[in-house]
């Protein structure tokens, strides 16, 4: 079985974590446990959705990012900006200002991620048409969703469309454009301003390809604060005019909810929010839904506008992008550097390998052993309280039972079981205090009561 | 031979909101047992059809499932109108569903034929005005299929 390490962009700071249970409760794949008073991540289950990041009361959930100075390893420094980055800024700041400040910060070229969507939309629509035997087809746009399907819905991995996404396509395009203009391949660094952790994980450990075309990531909150500070500090300054993008309205809206579904042919549905997606996929597993052609699934509410690293309110971000799409004059002018002229080159890079399942649900590889374990889980469930309090350090009674059967914890960590044993006289207060300290650390029980 | 694991679910006729619950629960169990995805799909599709049959036609029903390391055996036992002509009901497209049920997207006459296509062993016993017992077995390991 493939047990290779899965790279995660999220990690918990042991120093900052206060050992509450907020993250453990919201994790959609039950990838978090509390041990020794600190949250721990189970790497095989985590899908980098970042729900833990949203709820942590003390900012102990961190998202890795590359050192900004990494950009200077390259002569040509391209920054790939997603539409939602522009959508972070208030209305009095325009696209040209943002572009110029990015250049001032050290980049040599600015390219919008959604440029890649200009090409992808027809490639994807054709792919869906050509694969009529698979319905519905599911977009691979959101890396958290791809990982969710791998770990929780392994039977649906063959529904995922094995095509690269606008980000990668834009990366290939930016590099090829510079090469055409005389640059060497290894002189070019492409950096992506990311709204979420899942995209970072997708770049650092891509699914269905060996290495990403993206050379580094910059978190959107970091970039937003840098750019906004410069703009606010130089109010009177005239920014050199940068070229306006000539994205089509469809591409501008690509990363928002219905961005893909409204462009695909046939019957399409768009679903955002991880719990909505899980509910739908449960149903999709049970029923034949061959009358749906395409599913756009996004982990975040309001899709990328709601990315965990964004600063602006997601509804305002959406509104700004929708307004921008409305203001586009069509048809946009195309010049020799237009991405459409690179279609033939890019078409060699569209496909990714088959995405493989990596189920986290199985209790054992062998059905017979799994069945024995499940019987034990069911026996344990009969004595557990169904309170899902999390005091045992596992998110639910069910997960405590499963963790126990996997020998990763002990049933006596349940405070209800402890009380039951105490009543029977087979368990002492000292023992229960010892167990509580193992789960929650010394501090929480070491307090003075007046 | 190991003692099979037993699961039981109750069904209420006419409650389409709950139709699919049992199949969904059975699916969760099979995923934990590391049964391969294609086999799970066959089991879930056929048990879902049988479940909907009870909800659409009968007054009440009980589902029993037994799982061991080789197979799953499912019994769908309902109190209801029964099937007068089982052979006819096995034909694709033949349906006795009421217009109201069809309006809800069910009753296309594919229930029993769909089950037959997905299971390894199928047995149907029915008594008119009393009820129907649909029993089927699906092997859990690919070499059994």
């Amino acid at each position: 079985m493939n047990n290779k390490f899965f790279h995660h962009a999220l990690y918990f700071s042991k120093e900052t974590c206060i050992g509450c249970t907020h993250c453990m409760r919201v994790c959609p794949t039950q990838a978090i446990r509390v041990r020794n008073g600190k949250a721990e991540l189970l790497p095989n289950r985590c899908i980098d959705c970042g729900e833990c990041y949203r709820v942590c009361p003390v900012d102990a959930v961190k998202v890795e990012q590359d050192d900004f100075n990494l950009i200077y390893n390259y002569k040509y420094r391209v920054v790939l900006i997603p539409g939602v980055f522009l959508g972070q800024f208030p209305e009095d700041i325009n696209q040209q200002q943002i572009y110029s400040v990015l250049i001032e910060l050290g980049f040599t070229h600015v390219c919008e991620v959604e440029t890649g969507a200009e090409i992808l939309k027809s490639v994807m629509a054709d792919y869906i048409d050509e694969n009529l035997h698979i319905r519905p087809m599911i977009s691979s746009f959101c890396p958290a969703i791809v990982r969710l399907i791998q770990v929780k819905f392994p039977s649906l991995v063959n529904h995922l469309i094995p095509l690269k996404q606008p980000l990668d396509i834009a990366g290939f395009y930016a590099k090829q454009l510079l090469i055409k203009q005389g640059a060497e391949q290894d002189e070019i660094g492409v950096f992506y301003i990311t709204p979420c952790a899942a995209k970072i994980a997708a770049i650092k450990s891509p699914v269905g390809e060996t290495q990403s075309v993206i050379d580094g990531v910059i978190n959107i909150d970091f970039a937003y604060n840098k750019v906004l500070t410069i703009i606010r500090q130089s109010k009177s300054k005239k920014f050199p005019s940068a070229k306006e993008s000539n994205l089509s309205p469809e591409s501008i809206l690509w990363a928002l909810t219905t961005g893909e579904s409204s462009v695909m042919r046939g019957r399409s549905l768009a679903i955002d929010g991880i719990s909505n997606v899980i509910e739908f996929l449960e149903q999709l597993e049970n029923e034949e839904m061959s009358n749906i052609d395409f599913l756009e699934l996004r982990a975040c509410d309001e899709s990328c506008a709601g990315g965990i690293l964004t600063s602006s309110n997601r509804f305002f971000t959406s509104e700004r992008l929708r307004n921008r799409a409305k203001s586009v004059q069509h048809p946009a002018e195309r010049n020799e550097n237009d991405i459409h002229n690179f279609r033939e080159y890019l078409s060699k890079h569209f496909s990714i390998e088959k995405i493989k399942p990596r189920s986290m649900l199985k209790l054992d590889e062998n059905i017979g052993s799994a069945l024995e374990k499940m019987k034990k889980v069911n026996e344990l469930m009969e004595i557990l309280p169904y309170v899902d309090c999390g005091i045992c350090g596992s998110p639910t009674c069910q997960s405590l039972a499963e963790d126990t059967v996997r020998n990763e914890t002990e049933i006596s960590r349940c405070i209800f079981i402890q009380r039951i044993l105490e009543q029977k006289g087979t368990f002492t207060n000292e023992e229960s205090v010892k167990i509580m300290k193992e789960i929650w650390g010394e501090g929480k029980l070491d307090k003075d009561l007046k | 031979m190991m003692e099979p694991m037993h699961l039981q679910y109750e069904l209420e006729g006419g409650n389409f909101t709950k139709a699919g619950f049992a199949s969904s629960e059975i699916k969760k169990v099979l995923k934990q047992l590391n049964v391969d995805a294609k086999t799970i799909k066959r089991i879930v599709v056929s048990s879902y059809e049988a479940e909907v049959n009870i909800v659409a036609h009968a007054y009440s029903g009980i589902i029993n499932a037994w799982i061991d390391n080789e197979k799953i055996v499912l019994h769908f036992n309902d109190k209801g109108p029964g099937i007068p002509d089982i052979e006819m009901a096995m034909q694709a497209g033949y349906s006795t569903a009421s217009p109201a049920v069809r309006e809800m997207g069910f009753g296309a006459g594919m229930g029993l034929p769909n089950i037959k296509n997905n299971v390894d062993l199928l047995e149907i016993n029915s008594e008119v005005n009393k009820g129907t017992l649909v029993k089927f077995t699906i092997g859990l390991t690919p070499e059994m299929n």
Side-chain angles (χ1 to χ4, degrees), chain A residues 152 282 363 372 375 402, chain B residues 2-3 27 31-32:
Chain A
K152 211 175 155 100
E282 289 283 355
L363 289 166
E372 291 301 332
K375 282 185 198 162
E402 289 171 15
Chain B
M2 72 191 300
E3 180 76 10
K27 176 194 73 183
K31 278 164 98 172
Q32 288 200 299

Side-chain angles (χ1 to χ4, degrees), chain B residues 12-17 54-59 104:
Chain B
E12 190 189 331
N15 188 350
F16 285 93
T17 323
I54 294 180
V55 172
H57 298 285
Y59 317 124
M104 298 173 77

Side-chain angles (χ1 to χ4, degrees), chain A residues 269-384:
Chain A
L269 279 183
I271 299 163
D272 61 5
I274 190 96
S275 53
N276 296 331
V277 170
I278 289 173
E279 187 188 336
F280 192 87
L281 292 178
E282 289 283 355
Q283 196 172 343
L284 177 60
E285 269 193 330
N286 297 352
E287 297 168 40
E288 296 292 346
M289 292 195 198
S290 50
N291 54 353
I292 300 175
D293 296 293
F294 174 71
L295 290 175
E296 170 198 310
L297 307 176
R298 311 278 178 84
C300 296
D301 184 29
E302 291 291 308
S303 295
C304 299
I308 61 162
L309 298 171
T310 56
S311 304
S312 160
N313 179 289
R314 67 185 76 131
F315 300 103
F316 288 140
T317 305
S318 273
E319 186 195 32
R320 289 181 195 122
L321 290 185
R322 292 189 197 283
N323 286 341
R324 181 181 160 205
K326 264 185 237 161
S327 70
V328 169
Q329 311 284 332
H330 230 46
E333 267 180 47
R334 285 184 193 176
N335 62 28
E336 53 176 315
N337 292 336
D338 193 278
I339 190 164
H340 290 279
N341 297 330
F342 289 79
R343 178 180 272 270
E344 205 186 311
Y345 165 78
L346 293 172
S347 66
K348 284 179 262 170
H349 296 279
F350 281 143
S351 57
I352 56 173
E353 285 165 34
K354 224 172 148 38
I355 297 167
K356 296 193 181 84
R358 49 180 184 91
S359 172
M360 61 168 202
L361 301 165
K362 54 176 182 272
L363 289 166
D364 201 290
E365 292 293 330
N366 174 282
I367 294 179
S369 318
L371 203 53
E372 291 301 332
K373 286 183 180 168
M374 183 172 283
K375 282 185 198 162
K376 282 185 196 142
V377 169
N378 291 344
E379 280 165 30
L380 292 174
M381 284 311 287
E382 282 178 27
I383 55 171
L384 288 171

